[in-house]
Amino acid sequence: MTIEIEPRLNALMRRAQAGEAAAWRELLGVLSGRLTVYFGRRLSAAQAADLEDLVQETLLAIHRRRETYDPAQPFTAWAHALARYKLIDFWRRRRLRVHVPLDEMAEALWSAPDESAEARMDLDRVLGGLPERQRTLVRDVKVEGLSLAEAGARAGISEGAAKVSLHRAMAALTARMRPRED
């Protein structure tokens, strides 16, 4: 996604977040075309049949997570992160290792420092006291926006077990973050 498209997509997303259905439809239409190109460049000919599924999964993730988008931040970076996670999940499900040419990584290697690094460190610190499975479920469901079924499948447990484990994790986090009454 190029820099020139950023203001347009950002404006469409802001209007969509405000409840404008036409802006939401237009945004999804633009994203659909751009995601098709993005995934098309990264999938082999043998994986071409999965391209539309990846586009739809990403659009669904954007739809589910739309309220988490901060209009003060670049929309394309936010959408690209969701698309990248869906692509990584696709490769993991198929147990694929993909080598990305260094030329494609140049932008990522030389980009400005990530201002959300402190937030990630804070999140790591808060989640650090949880058991590994609970920590993973919190990240998958609350941060990445996966459904309980998806997160459970990723963790190798049922949706019900994922729900119980996530509930326990959230209760433990709430108790830990609650101010102590001395």
Side-chain angles (χ1 to χ4, degrees):
M1 295 186 187
T2 62
I3 294 172
E4 300 83 43
I5 193 89
E6 175 62 36
R8 177 179 174 213
L9 293 179
N10 187 290
L12 285 171
M13 184 61 162
R14 280 187 278 121
R15 288 174 31 213
Q17 283 181 316
E20 190 177 320
W24 185 243
R25 281 191 302 275
E26 184 179 347
L27 177 67
L28 292 179
V30 171
L31 287 176
S32 179
R34 292 185 167 276
L35 288 169
T36 299
V37 171
Y38 173 80
F39 291 127
R41 289 180 179 162
R42 287 155 178 82
L43 297 178
S44 68
Q47 299 164 333
D50 296 307
L51 184 118
E52 187 59 30
D53 288 342
L54 271 170
V55 170
Q56 293 304 315
E57 283 179 33
T58 305
L59 291 175
L60 186 57
I62 288 169
H63 176 72
R64 285 182 182 151
R65 310 262 311 146
R66 70 186 180 276
E67 295 304 319
T68 67
Y69 171 65
D70 177 2
Q73 301 298 315
F75 176 79
T76 52
W78 181 81
H80 180 263
L82 291 172
R84 188 172 62 93
Y85 288 129
K86 289 299 177 184
L87 184 61
I88 290 168
D89 288 344
F90 169 80
W91 286 333
R92 281 184 185 144
R93 283 191 305 266
R94 285 163 179 75
R95 294 182 172 21
L96 297 174
R97 290 194 174 267
V98 177
H99 298 280
V100 178
L102 188 57
D103 292 343
E104 290 183 26
M105 292 303 296
E107 183 177 320
L109 293 172
W110 299 109
S111 62
D114 186 1
E115 294 175 4
S116 64
E118 281 186 47
R120 277 196 303 277
M121 287 174 28
D122 289 342
L123 182 62
D124 290 343
R125 201 173 308 116
V126 168
L127 296 179
L130 294 175
E132 178 64 29
R133 179 176 286 168
Q134 288 181 352
R135 195 169 44 241
T136 301
L137 285 170
V138 170
R139 285 186 187 283
D140 287 350
V141 175
K142 299 298 184 181
V143 177
E144 290 188 31
L146 297 180
S147 69
L148 282 168
E150 292 169 324
R154 193 185 257 189
I157 59 176
S158 70
E159 180 178 358
K163 184 176 183 177
V164 169
S165 186
L166 180 64
H167 176 74
R168 288 178 180 160
M170 296 308 291
L173 290 174
T174 300
R176 189 179 313 150
M177 302 311 278
R178 189 171 287 138
R180 292 183 185 179
E181 295 179 17
D182 293 325

